[in-house]
Amino acid sequence: METQKLFQVDLGHLMAFNPHHSFSSQPSSREDLVNECLQKGTELVQAITDSLFNLPSTENVDGPLVKLPPPVTKLPREKHLPRPKPPTKWEQFAQKKGIKKRKKDKIAYDEPSGTWKRRFGYDRANDEDAIPIIEAKMNDDPEEDPFAKRRDNKKKRIEKQDKNRLQNLKQAAKVGALPSHVQLAATALPITGTQAAPKKVTKDELGSVAGLAATSTASGGKFDKKLPGEKTARHQGKYRKFLPVVEGSGIGSQEKEQTEKVLNKIFSKNSHNILNVDKAINTYNVKKEKKWRSEKAKASATGSKLKPQKKLHKKSPKKGSSKKGKSK
Amino acid sequence: MVEIKTAKTHKGKRELEKRAPKLVESGKKTLILHGTKTSGVLNAVLKEIYHLKKDCAIKYSRKNENIKPFESGGETSLEFFSLKTDCSIFVYGSHSKKRPDNLTIGRTYDHHIYDLVEVGVENFKPMESFSYDKKLAPKEGSKPFITFVGEGFENVEELKHLKEVLLDLLRGEVVENLNITGLDRAYVCTAVSSNKVFLTHCALRLKKSGTVVPRMELVEVGPSMDLVVRRHRPPNDSLRKEAMKTSREKPKKKEKNVKKDAIQGKIGNIYIPDQKIGEMALPNKAKGIKRERREAKLKNESGEHASKRKKDD
C-alpha cells in the first residue's frame, strides 16, 4: 500500500496520477522519452491493478465481476438534474380536499342491458352515446335536436380537458420539467440560448419612417400641424431635371448631347445587326425580280401594239436570251 | 395558440426519453468535426480518435465554416450540433498558418459550451505504424486505464485543465460493475514540459506474478502524439457549481409483481413458462424407444415369458 501514498489512484475512473515525477532534463532522443513514459505508465497501471484485484469480486459466467467504488475526481454533468414535475391543478385541488386516488374496476354493471361490461372502450357499460331513443319531456325545447346536443356536450368536454392539459403542461414548462416526449410548439426553438440580439433601429431609419408617416396625408403633409422639433420629411427618390430643348450656347447643347448619348448607346448595342448583308442582298434580288415580272406582264398585255418598245427592252443580254429560248 | 407536440411512435418516445436529463448519467458522447481546412495529420488524428471511441462517438465529415469555438458567435452552430446529436464532448480540428494542426477539445453543459482547451498536435504516429501481436489489440468499447505522469498536471493551470478534459474524453462508459477480464487498454499521458503532453495508447499484457495480482506490461499500439497547449477557457464559476451537482438518491427501479400484505407479508407473482413436454428432446440412444427392438420384444414376449415362468416355478 506504499504505492498509494505515492500515487493518487481513482478506482472509479480507473485513473492514476503520479504528481511527483518531473523531467528535469529533456531525454536525448524520442525513443528514450517514450520508453521512460511507458515505464512510468506501467508503474501506475500496476498500482491500479493492485487495488482493483484486491476488491471483493463475484464470479460470473464471463469472468470475475468487481464493484467499483464511486469516483473521487468529480466531472461535470452532461445535463442538469431532472427537475420535479409541478402538481397539476387537479392534484392541488385533490390535496386540499383530501381526495385520494383509487382504482376503478375494469368491469362495471351495465344498467340498460343488465350485464357486466368493460368500463371503457367499445361496447362499454352505461354508454350514454349508445342510447338510441331519448324520451321527450314536457319542458323540452321542440327546436332542439337532443342527439346533436349530446354530441356537442361530448365535444365540449374534450375541449375542456385539452385546455386543462395545456395549462398544466405550460406550468411544467415554466419550471423546465416538461416530459421529454412532449413539446410545446411555441417554445420549441432550435437553440434555447445564444440567439442574435434583435437589431436596434438606427436614427436614420426612424427618421425615414417618420417622414413617410408625415407625408401620408391627402395634402402630402403640407397642411399638417408640425410637432415641436419635427423636421421636414426627407425627400425620397430622385429629382428629375428637364433640360431646355431650344438650342443655345450653354445648356442647349447639353440636351442634344444627352439624346445623342442615349442614341449611341442603343446603336452600339445593336451595331452588329444594323446591316444584315444577306438580308440586304435578298431584298434587293426580290425587288428586282418583282419589278421585272410586273414589267414583263405589262409587255405581254400590250405586246403586239408596242413592238418598238419591246425592242428597246432587248438591250439587256439576259432578257434577250430568255426571249430567244421562248421563241424557239 | 400553443400546440402540444408529442412523439408519434413509441420508438420515437423512447428515443426522446434517452435524451432526457437523468439522475445518474452513463457517459458522454463525443462529436468529432473539423473546420474549413484540415491537414493530413489532423485528418488522421480525428479518424483515430473516432476509432478509439467508436462506441460513443459521431464523426462529421463536412467542412464547417462558421465554427470558431473561442470567438463569440462562433459557437452557435456547434451548440446546435451538440443538441442535434446529443453529444456533450466535441473534438474540433482546424489548420491555419497561425495555429497549425489545431485540435480544440471542449465540453458542453445543457448543450452550451462549458469549457475549451486548444492543443496543437506534434509528432503524430498513427496506429498503422505500430507493429505488435494482434491478439493483444484492445476491443472496441472496453474500459481503459488512464494514467497521468508529471508534476505539470498539478502545478500548471492549463495542464490541470487539460487533464480533466482528457479524463472526460477517454474514460469511456461509466460503469458500476466491471469485468476484470475485459481490461485490455491503457492511456498514458505524460507532462513532458510545462506546455507539452505526450499521449499514447497502449495495450495490456497480463503476466503471472505468483500472486492473485498479475504483473502488467504495456505494449504501445498507438496512436501516439504530443499535445502542445495553446489557448484554454476554463468554465465559469457559477456554471461549474451548477454542473457539479449530483443527487444522493439513486434512481429507483419499479418493482413489478410484488405486493406487500399486512397478514401474509411479501407476496410475489412468479411466471413459469409452459413446460412443453411434447416438444422435449429425448436422448437418442435409449434402447427401449427404438421401434424394431420394441416390435421384436413384442414378438418374443410370449415365448420368453413362458420360459421365465418356468424357471420361476
Side-chain angles (χ1 to χ4, degrees), chain B residues 68-286:
Chain B
K68 286 165 188 93
F70 278 94
E71 289 166 29
S72 70
E75 75 275 42
T76 320
S77 91
L78 198 60
E79 283 172 357
F80 171 70
F81 288 145
S82 148
L83 183 72
K84 188 182 168 194
T85 56
D86 197 28
C87 291
S88 47
I89 303 179
F90 63 87
V91 180
Y92 171 74
S94 61
H95 181 75
S96 66
K97 198 173 177 186
K98 193 175 178 186
R99 299 193 181 85
D101 297 332
N102 205 31
L103 209 63
T104 312
I105 309 170
R107 294 180 286 180
T108 61
Y109 172 69
D110 250 358
H111 305 302
H112 289 291
I113 285 184
Y114 175 78
D115 61 352
L116 295 165
V117 183
E118 193 179 64
V119 288
V121 178
E122 282 173 12
N123 299 327
F124 175 68
K125 264 178 95 182
M127 284 182 202
E128 296 94 61
S129 62
F130 292 90
S131 56
Y132 55 94
D133 184 10
K134 292 294 178 210
K135 272 182 211 162
L136 288 173
K139 304 281 183 302
E140 188 183 304
S142 63
K143 184 103 177 150
F145 286 118
I146 305 170
T147 58
F148 292 96
V149 184
E151 56 181 8
F153 282 123
E154 205 171 48
N155 303 332
V156 186
E157 193 59 39
E158 283 108 42
L159 291 186
K160 210 172 165 183
H161 187 199
L162 182 67
K163 177 182 166 231
E164 199 188 312
V165 173
L166 279 179
L167 177 63
D168 215 351
L169 177 71
L170 301 174
R171 68 176 164 157
E173 206 180 332
V174 182
V175 287
E176 208 171 59
N177 294 316
L178 184 76
N179 189 342
I180 293 179
T181 49
L183 293 170
D184 54 5
R185 65 169 82 190
Y187 292 103
V188 180
C189 311
T190 325
V192 182
S193 63
S194 68
N195 69 339
K196 201 177 201 182
V197 172
F198 171 70
L199 168 70
T200 186
H201 177 221
C202 300
L204 293 176
R205 186 186 281 154
L206 276 68
K207 294 219 164 166
K208 278 172 194 165
S209 67
T211 58
V212 194
V213 185
R215 196 159 59 78
M216 293 304 209
E217 227 170 73
L218 295 185
V219 183
E220 210 178 357
V221 296
S224 82
M225 59 190 111
D226 278 353
L227 304 175
V228 182
V229 180
R230 284 174 185 159
R231 290 181 285 181
H232 87 131
R233 191 211 285 168
N236 203 336
D237 270 343
S238 60
L239 191 66
R240 186 184 159 78
K241 209 172 170 188
E242 171 82 24
M244 287 298 182
K245 270 183 191 168
T246 49
S247 77
R248 272 208 203 110
E249 56 198 283
K250 287 265 167 76
K252 273 173 268 172
K253 206 174 181 190
K254 199 178 170 189
E255 205 176 32
K256 275 182 177 173
N257 302 329
V258 175
K259 274 187 283 183
K260 293 264 164 53
D261 198 42
I263 304 162
Q264 288 167 301
K266 198 174 177 182
I267 303 169
N269 289 349
I270 298 168
Y271 171 70
I272 299 171
D274 187 24
Q275 283 194 23
K276 290 182 185 167
I277 295 166
E279 289 170 20
M280 213 154 75
L282 294 168
N284 244 356
K285 294 206 171 147

Side-chain angles (χ1 to χ4, degrees), chain A residues 50-236:
Chain A
D50 281 346
S51 39
L52 193 68
F53 277 76
N54 285 327
L55 286 175
S57 69
T58 51
E59 274 303 322
N60 193 295
V61 188
D62 302 324
L65 274 187
V66 161
K67 195 162 187 272
L68 292 178
V72 181
T73 325
K74 289 271 183 288
L75 290 172
R77 293 179 65 83
E78 189 180 3
K79 284 158 198 161
H80 60 77
L81 280 169
R83 293 170 185 133
K85 193 170 139 276
T88 61
K89 208 97 183 253
W90 163 255
E91 277 166 357
Q92 279 171 3
F93 178 75
Q95 171 91 41
K96 209 171 96 188
K97 292 280 179 187
I99 301 168
K100 274 198 185 132
K101 234 185 190 173
R102 58 188 164 77
K103 282 222 164 164
K104 283 179 181 167
D105 274 344
K106 264 192 180 173
I107 280 176
Y109 184 72
D110 184 38
E111 301 245 339
S113 68
T115 50
W116 289 86
K117 284 184 175 178
R118 267 171 275 141
R119 188 183 292 275
F120 298 110
Y122 176 73
D123 194 20
R124 62 171 168 272
N126 303 320
D127 189 0
E128 215 181 68
D129 301 348
I131 299 168
I133 300 161
I134 302 171
E135 275 182 37
K137 284 171 202 155
M138 285 307 286
N139 46 3
D140 268 357
D141 184 6
E143 301 276 293
E144 209 176 41
D145 180 6
F147 294 97
K149 195 182 167 192
R150 198 169 67 183
R151 247 176 286 136
D152 246 33
N153 279 343
K154 168 107 181 163
K155 224 175 209 174
K156 269 181 201 157
R157 266 177 283 149
I158 290 172
E159 265 169 24
K160 190 178 169 232
Q161 171 57 25
D162 277 350
K163 208 186 86 198
N164 288 348
R165 179 170 171 236
L166 181 64
Q167 198 59 39
N168 286 327
L169 283 176
K170 270 185 183 170
Q171 280 299 318
K174 230 185 220 174
V175 195
L178 207 62
S180 60
H181 62 279
V182 176
Q183 231 182 14
L184 297 180
T187 56
L189 292 168
I191 284 191
T192 45
T194 45
Q195 280 168 15
K199 215 181 149 194
K200 254 192 175 176
V201 186
T202 59
K203 203 176 170 188
D204 278 359
E205 279 168 335
L206 268 180
S208 69
V209 169
L212 266 181
T215 52
S216 316
T217 57
S219 66
K222 194 167 187 185
F223 301 110
D224 288 347
K225 219 172 142 188
K226 289 269 185 307
L227 290 168
E230 187 183 333
K231 283 170 193 164
T232 48
R234 227 169 12 137
H235 190 275
Q236 299 268 337

